[in-house]
């Protein structure tokens, strides 16, 4: 059972001056280069995002290497700096695979303790030349098995709805072996690893069915433990959701201050004020939950499972509320394909179930703090 009282210094939940400067730089960057029209344009491209922008984000600002140690080609900062970048990317609805590459795959490699694998892949993740994802992490019994062939390993089976599954250059796979689950690094080839795009609600976050038909793979570390990487992913997603919620609230406040009915701005009506106040209160709660989860990842706190599930539940529901009001308070225009509101609604709905539903996370929290006799997942 986890202790119920946090072990994080409250001052660590506040932004540093460096983090505020990073936020300003990133907000200007995304405003200039990744507006709603840019997002729509690149959704139709083969890769699904602007590859030049991806390279700029890695090279000019160094986002990809923020939470990667210097010994592996990164900047040596912490997850707290990366969370700032993720929040701003969520605010702009940036559609490149930051979440699977720089969070899930990178954290899985770092947590594995495999120095050789880290040295091989992390420098290329940090400089933006390698995209990566994970497969089989959220399954009690992975759908992929690994077997020895000669002096190496091959993977057989399938994993569905893999983030950036079609385009990723590297897949970190949790697979079954005769001795239990274990991690493997697979660089997919067309003949042994066919990948089929899935039609999903949120086209800004592509997913795919990945099949392994004797795909060569290299073992990573000695364990198949991925809870830490998944919880880091939940904390990262929470930061994204806070950014998206902030955009939805700001855009709606701006609109209701300008749109008039009965000779006055609709934002002056008490009913509208109350609805926006509810979003603001929810957003502040989400910021707190996200900041705590971020600090737990950055410090390697044993409270991370509790913080990650709390952030997942709170931030998912806040994003859903904020985007619903984004559409409703824009009236008819909010329902049109031309307006960006529907893109944020789709992101909110898909993110809500990405690493488990709010109900799942509340159940997990109850188990972690001893309110349930069932073992925590």
């Amino acid at each position: 059972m986890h202790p119920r009282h946090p072990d994080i210094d409250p001052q660590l939940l506040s932004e540093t001056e460096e983090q505020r400067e990073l936020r300003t730089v990133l907000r200007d960057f995304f405003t200039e280069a990744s507006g709603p029209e840019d997002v729509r344009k690149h959704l139709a491209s083969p890769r699904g995002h602007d590859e030049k922008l991806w390279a700029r984000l890695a090279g000019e600002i160094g986002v990809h290497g923020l939470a990667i140690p210097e010994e592996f080609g990164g900047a040596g900062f912490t997850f707290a700096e990366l969370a700032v970048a993720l929040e701003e990317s969520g605010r702009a609805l940036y559609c490149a695979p930051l979440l699977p590459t720089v969070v899930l795959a990178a954290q899985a490699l770092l947590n594995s303790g495999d120095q050789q694998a880290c040295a091989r892949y992390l420098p290329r993740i940090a400089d933006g030349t390698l995209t990566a994802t994970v497969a089989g992490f959220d399954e009690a019994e992975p759908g992929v098995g690994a077997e020895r062939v000669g002096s190496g390993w091959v993977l057989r089976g399938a994993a569905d709805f893999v983030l950036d599954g079609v385009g990723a250059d590297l897949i970190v796979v949790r697979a079954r072996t005769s001795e239990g689950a274990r991690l493997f690094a697979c660089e997919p080839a067309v003949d042994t690893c066919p990948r089929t795009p899935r039609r999903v609600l949120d086209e800004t976050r592509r997913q795919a069915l990945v099949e392994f038909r004797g795909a060569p793979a290299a073992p990573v570390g000695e364990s198949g433990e991925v809870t830490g990487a998944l919880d880091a992913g939940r904390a990262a997603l929470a930061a994204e959701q806070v950014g998206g919620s902030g955009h939805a609230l700001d855009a709606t406040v701006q609109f209701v201050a300008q749109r008039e009915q009965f000779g006055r701005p609709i934002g002056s009506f008490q009913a509208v004020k109350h609805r926006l106040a509810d979003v603001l209160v929810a957003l502040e709660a989400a910021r707190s939950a996200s900041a705590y989860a971020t600090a737990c990842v950055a410090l390697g706190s044993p409270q991370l499972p509790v913080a990650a599930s709390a952030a997942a539940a709170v931030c998912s529901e806040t994003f859903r509320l904020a985007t619903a009001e984004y559409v409703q308070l824009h009236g008819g225009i909010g329902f049109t394909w031309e307006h960006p509101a529907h893109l944020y609604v789709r992101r909110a709905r898909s993110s809500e179930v990405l690493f488990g539903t709010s109900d799942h996370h509340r159940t997990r929290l109850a188990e972690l703090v001893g309110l349930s006799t069932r073992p925590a997942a």
Side-chain angles (χ1 to χ4, degrees), residues 2-337:
H2 287 255
R4 299 190 188 187
H5 300 292
D7 58 355
I8 301 293
D9 183 344
Q11 289 202 356
L12 296 176
L13 305 181
S14 301
E15 278 191 351
T16 65
E17 186 60 36
E18 273 189 333
Q19 290 166 1
R20 280 192 288 272
E21 290 176 2
L22 176 62
R23 183 181 300 281
T24 300
V25 169
L26 285 165
R27 188 164 300 186
D28 291 343
F29 178 84
F30 284 125
T31 299
E32 172 197 348
S34 187
E37 292 310 313
D38 297 296
V39 170
R40 284 196 180 92
K41 179 176 69 175
H42 294 296
L43 288 181
S45 68
R47 194 62 183 86
H49 66 269
D50 186 344
E51 294 183 78
K52 292 181 179 178
L53 191 63
W54 174 263
R56 285 184 61 197
L57 198 62
E60 294 178 18
I61 305 178
V63 165
H64 301 59
L66 283 172
I68 294 177
E70 292 180 279
E71 63 183 299
F72 298 126
F77 287 101
T78 72
F79 192 84
E81 284 72 33
L82 180 57
V84 172
L86 290 162
E87 184 177 334
E88 290 305 311
S89 74
R91 185 182 182 89
L93 214 68
Y94 183 52
C95 52
L98 275 176
L99 179 62
T101 299
V102 306
V103 180
L104 293 172
Q107 287 292 316
L109 290 168
L110 287 168
N111 292 348
S112 74
D114 190 322
Q115 298 294 303
Q116 186 175 355
C118 287
R120 179 174 182 179
Y121 296 116
L122 290 178
R124 289 190 284 157
I125 287 177
D127 67 17
T129 58
L130 180 81
T131 56
T133 190
V134 300
F137 277 34
D138 57 350
E139 302 170 5
E141 183 67 18
V144 181
E147 59 187 57
R148 288 186 181 274
V149 175
S151 60
W153 292 81
V154 296
L155 302 177
R156 302 188 190 279
D160 210 350
F161 295 102
V162 175
L163 295 174
D164 196 38
V166 168
D169 305 311
L170 168 71
I171 306 177
V172 180
V173 185
R174 181 170 173 266
R176 304 183 312 274
T177 72
S178 59
E179 299 175 350
R182 192 173 178 183
L183 294 184
F184 292 86
C186 174
E187 298 181 44
V190 175
D191 54 339
T192 59
C193 191
R195 299 181 277 179
T196 307
R198 287 303 198 193
R199 186 177 182 185
V200 291
L201 177 65
D202 177 18
E203 295 177 336
T204 68
R205 181 167 275 147
R206 293 188 175 186
Q207 301 180 47
L209 168 66
V210 180
E211 298 175 79
F212 300 92
R213 301 175 180 175
V220 175
E222 300 294 332
S223 167
E225 177 57 45
V226 295
T227 302
L230 270 178
D231 280 335
R234 290 170 179 132
L237 184 63
E240 269 194 16
Q241 290 169 323
V242 167
S245 300
H247 163 83
L249 178 60
D250 290 349
T252 306
V253 168
Q254 183 179 19
F255 177 79
V256 300
Q258 297 171 348
R259 178 76 167 88
E260 292 191 357
Q261 281 285 0
F262 309 109
R264 55 190 284 199
I266 62 173
S268 66
F269 293 108
Q270 197 74 358
V272 173
K273 290 180 180 179
H274 284 172
R275 289 170 67 169
L276 291 175
D278 288 343
V279 176
L280 178 60
V281 170
L283 178 55
E284 290 305 311
R287 287 191 198 282
S288 296
S290 173
Y292 181 47
T294 292
C296 286
V297 179
L299 297 175
S301 169
Q303 280 285 308
L304 175 58
V306 171
S309 278
V314 172
C315 297
S316 290
E317 292 182 355
T318 297
F319 199 13
R320 180 177 59 183
L321 172 65
T323 53
E325 296 293 20
Y326 192 8
V327 170
Q328 292 289 331
L329 292 177
H330 273 75
I333 193 174
F335 290 89
T336 65
W337 183 256

Side-chain angles (χ1 to χ4, degrees), residues 313-376:
V314 172
C315 297
S316 290
E317 292 182 355
T318 297
F319 199 13
R320 180 177 59 183
L321 172 65
T323 53
E325 296 293 20
Y326 192 8
V327 170
Q328 292 289 331
L329 292 177
H330 273 75
I333 193 174
F335 290 89
T336 65
W337 183 256
E338 291 76 18
H339 199 276
H342 79 92
L343 294 173
Y344 284 85
V345 169
R346 289 166 182 255
R347 173 66 71 88
R349 290 296 189 177
S350 66
S351 297
E352 195 174 357
V353 297
L354 192 56
F355 298 124
T357 64
S358 293
D359 287 344
H360 165 83
H361 287 295
R362 284 189 167 85
T363 301
R364 186 187 187 215
L365 279 170
E367 293 160 357
L368 288 169
V369 301
L371 298 179
S372 169
T373 57
R374 289 173 51 192

